Amino acid sequence: MALIALAADKGSPGVTTAAVALAAVWPRRVLLAETDPAGGDLVYRSAAAHGGPLNPNTGMLSIAATARRGLVPDQLWDHVQPLSGGLEVLVGLGGAEQAAGLAGLWPTLGRAFASLADSPNAPADVIADCGRISGDTPALELFPHAALVLLISRTEPEAIARVRDRAAVLSTKLHGGPRGAGSLGLPLIGVVLVTDTGEAGKISGQVNDMLVHAQTGARVVGTIADDPAGADQLAGRKRGRLDKSLLIRTARKVTADLYQQYGAAWSVPTPPPHAGAGR
């Protein structure tokens, strides 16, 4: 099982950019799902593999009718579109008004996302961009099915205070109460800080100490560079060597660290060879 849910407490810390960057360097096949009930952004900022625009009607909107009849994980691929560059995306809703069509279906989606890694036909991890989760957003119903919930935050004092409080609320909701570093519950709640690379090490240590001291059940799992130029390259708005950008280099380190710690638990067993197969 490997559903990784990304979210933010408030404001626009760059959840979608972080989700796309992590998916772009993910070491296994991955499906990027825009699951923000307020609506997705990729249809406006990214081109499809054929060079034209993404179809806003194929994705979360089209999957609603399918999911009401039951959803087998492999059916997710029927609603996926490839971006220019090859990343496979489940395009988000056009706006909050369309979220009503998914009422009651979020747990079904969560189970399908989590089970896709075990598909015998087309296994993949799922990175879900859940947007802002302040209030009672239905995207929270995905979290119990996730292996990892990543809260994306910038490093202004008010942003750090909010992510601390949000992590504590999530820990209570998902794990039944606050936890210290020695008793982290599942799904693991991680914090990814969007910050200047020059202060990344210092600020991540300080924030991690604060999260542990407050018994939030969360910890800092990495930092992603605050790199507007790299974000523009990732969205196709600017030319350049995307693989050399600070955004992608730091996203690659986050994914490498995550896989070093949790990859064994997320590995999909290789199916045995068919009888009579050659050596």
Side-chain angles (χ1 to χ4, degrees):
M1 176 177 82
L3 165 60
I4 298 91
L6 274 65
D9 179 73
K10 189 177 179 181
S12 301
V15 177
T16 298
T17 296
V20 175
L22 293 177
V25 297
W26 203 249
R28 301 196 314 190
R29 187 178 185 183
V30 66
L31 169 60
L32 174 62
E34 284 194 293
T35 57
D36 185 348
D41 294 328
L42 292 179
V43 74
Y44 304 109
R45 67 165 72 173
S46 299
H50 53 66
L54 293 164
N55 183 350
N57 298 315
T58 300
M60 291 291 287
L61 184 62
S62 63
I63 210 169
T66 300
R68 292 201 177 279
R69 299 188 295 270
L71 188 62
V72 176
D74 280 345
Q75 289 178 293
L76 293 168
W77 297 116
D78 297 335
H79 305 270
V80 166
Q81 302 179 66
L83 295 183
S84 176
L87 184 61
E88 296 169 298
V89 174
L90 192 64
V91 170
L93 300 171
E97 298 78 11
Q98 294 181 347
L102 286 167
L105 297 177
W106 294 92
T108 299
L109 284 170
R111 286 189 292 271
F113 290 153
S115 300
L116 189 60
D118 299 320
S119 164
N121 300 314
D125 296 326
V126 176
I127 293 178
D129 171 5
C130 299
R132 291 187 293 274
I133 55 168
S134 53
D136 197 22
T137 172
L140 286 169
E141 297 178 46
L142 298 177
F143 288 10
H145 305 281
L148 180 63
V149 174
L150 294 180
L151 296 175
I152 310 300
S153 177
R154 294 189 178 271
T155 55
E156 295 83 3
E158 62 273 18
I160 293 172
R162 282 198 298 265
V163 80
R164 176 200 61 202
D165 295 345
R166 178 58 56 186
V169 169
L170 282 178
S171 182
T172 298
K173 186 179 184 67
L174 296 171
H175 306 147
R179 293 170 179 264
S183 57
L184 296 172
L186 294 177
L188 176 69
I189 302 171
V191 173
V192 174
L193 299 172
V194 179
T195 185
D196 181 87
T197 54
E199 63 177 11
K202 178 181 178 181
I203 193 69
S204 63
Q206 292 173 343
V207 174
N208 193 67
D209 289 345
M210 179 192 67
L211 294 171
V212 172
H213 179 74
Q215 293 188 310
T216 61
R219 60 178 175 175
V220 175
V221 297
T223 62
I224 289 180
D226 185 4
D227 180 14
D232 284 343
Q233 291 174 359
L234 188 65
R237 294 188 293 262
K238 184 176 181 178
R239 294 182 180 275
R241 288 288 303 275
L242 180 59
D243 60 321
K244 299 295 185 182
S245 69
L246 285 173
L247 173 63
I248 290 299
R249 284 160 54 191
T250 51
R252 187 173 285 114
K253 185 178 188 311
V254 171
T255 60
D257 289 346
L258 290 175
Y259 253 81
Q260 183 178 8
Q261 294 181 67
Y262 312 113
W266 296 346
S267 296
V268 178
T270 303
H274 295 294
R279 289 180 294 179

